[in-house]
């Protein structure tokens, strides 16, 4: 983080928001951390302004929403261009994520969803048209996520001599 180190209260906030940002109030988080509601709100605002919290989004089950195919496309781009291609790749219809990989020959991992094979094929063609090499395609059956465990210390109360009220 640019200005301040992330402490136990910050990690507890991050864990709680990863669990259920939609239904987790600042009051609920304050109870878990042993801090005040206003402290939690200030901390969240700081984490957002420092770019630690990049945003909030819904976790969509694409299969249940009518798009049963999830394809991972491992691509190779020139090292100097790969980061600059991410926004263009994200604009391809059907692409839901892009990850920049820093080891191995394949250096971009593109995730696309579709209803049928004919929805995914144009994604691969668009990547090829961008002068990317599509080295491998993997069909995913399931995809689940969980909050990052290192953010959950089990004891979310702040220790030490400085109180959470003193820290924004």
């Amino acid at each position: 983080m640019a200005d301040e180190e992330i402490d136990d209260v910050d990690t507890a906030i991050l864990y709680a928001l990863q669990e259920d940002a939609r239904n987790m109030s600042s009051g609920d988080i304050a109870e878990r951390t042993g801090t005040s509601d206003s402290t939690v709100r200030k901390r969240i605002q700081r984490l957002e302004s420092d770019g630690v919290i990049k945003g909030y989004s819904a976790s969509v089950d694409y299969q249940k929403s009518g798009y049963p195919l999830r394809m991972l496309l491992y691509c190779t781009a020139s090292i100097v261009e790969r980061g600059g291609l991410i926004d263009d790749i994200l604009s391809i219809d059907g692409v839901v994520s892009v990850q920049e990989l820093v080891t191995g020959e394949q250096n971009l991992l593109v995730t696309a969803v579709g209803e049928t094979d004919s929805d995914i094929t144009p994604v691969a063609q668009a990547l090829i048209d961008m002068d990317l090499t599509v080295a491998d395609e993997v069909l995913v059956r399931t995809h689940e996520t969980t909050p990052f465990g290192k953010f959950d210390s089990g004891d979310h109360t702040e220790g030490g001599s400085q109180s959470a009220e003193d820290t924004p």
Side-chain angles (χ1 to χ4, degrees):
M1 215 157 81
D3 298 354
E4 297 182 42
E5 291 295 316
I6 293 178
D7 64 14
D8 290 343
V9 173
D10 293 330
T11 59
I13 290 169
L14 293 171
Y15 190 83
L17 292 175
Q18 285 182 314
E19 280 183 316
D20 189 0
R22 182 173 186 209
N23 296 308
M24 189 71 64
S25 73
S26 56
D28 294 335
I29 298 170
E31 275 185 45
R32 289 171 73 163
T33 58
T35 62
S36 72
D37 190 10
S38 65
T39 294
V40 171
R41 286 194 310 275
K42 288 177 188 174
R43 294 286 188 106
I44 290 172
Q45 185 177 35
R46 180 176 49 84
L47 290 165
E48 289 171 345
S49 67
D50 287 348
V52 175
I53 297 174
K54 294 170 59 173
Y56 303 88
S57 62
S59 178
V60 176
D61 185 326
Y62 292 107
Q63 188 167 14
K64 287 182 180 178
S65 64
Y67 298 94
L69 297 181
R70 181 188 297 255
M71 182 72 69
L72 304 180
L73 300 114
Y74 289 88
C75 303
T76 303
S78 76
I79 292 173
V80 293
E81 292 179 341
R82 71 178 173 209
L85 294 170
I86 292 174
D87 287 339
D88 291 336
I89 295 170
L90 286 170
S91 71
I92 298 170
D93 191 34
V95 171
V96 294
S97 75
V98 179
Q99 297 175 51
E100 186 176 0
L101 311 174
V102 294
T103 60
E105 186 176 330
Q106 289 82 43
N107 52 23
L108 291 170
L109 174 56
V110 178
T111 303
V113 297
E115 189 175 358
T116 66
D117 224 19
S118 61
D119 294 330
I120 303 294
T121 302
V123 172
Q125 187 59 55
L127 295 169
I128 291 167
D129 292 346
M130 294 174 70
D131 292 327
L132 296 172
T133 301
V134 178
D136 198 7
E137 299 175 18
V138 177
L139 187 59
V140 177
R141 174 176 283 203
T142 61
H143 174 88
E144 300 297 330
T145 62
T146 188
F148 183 50
K150 293 208 185 259
F151 289 160
D152 185 22
S153 66
D155 175 21
H156 301 291
T157 59
E158 186 172 0
S161 59
Q162 184 179 20
S163 77
E165 303 301 319
D166 297 334
T167 308

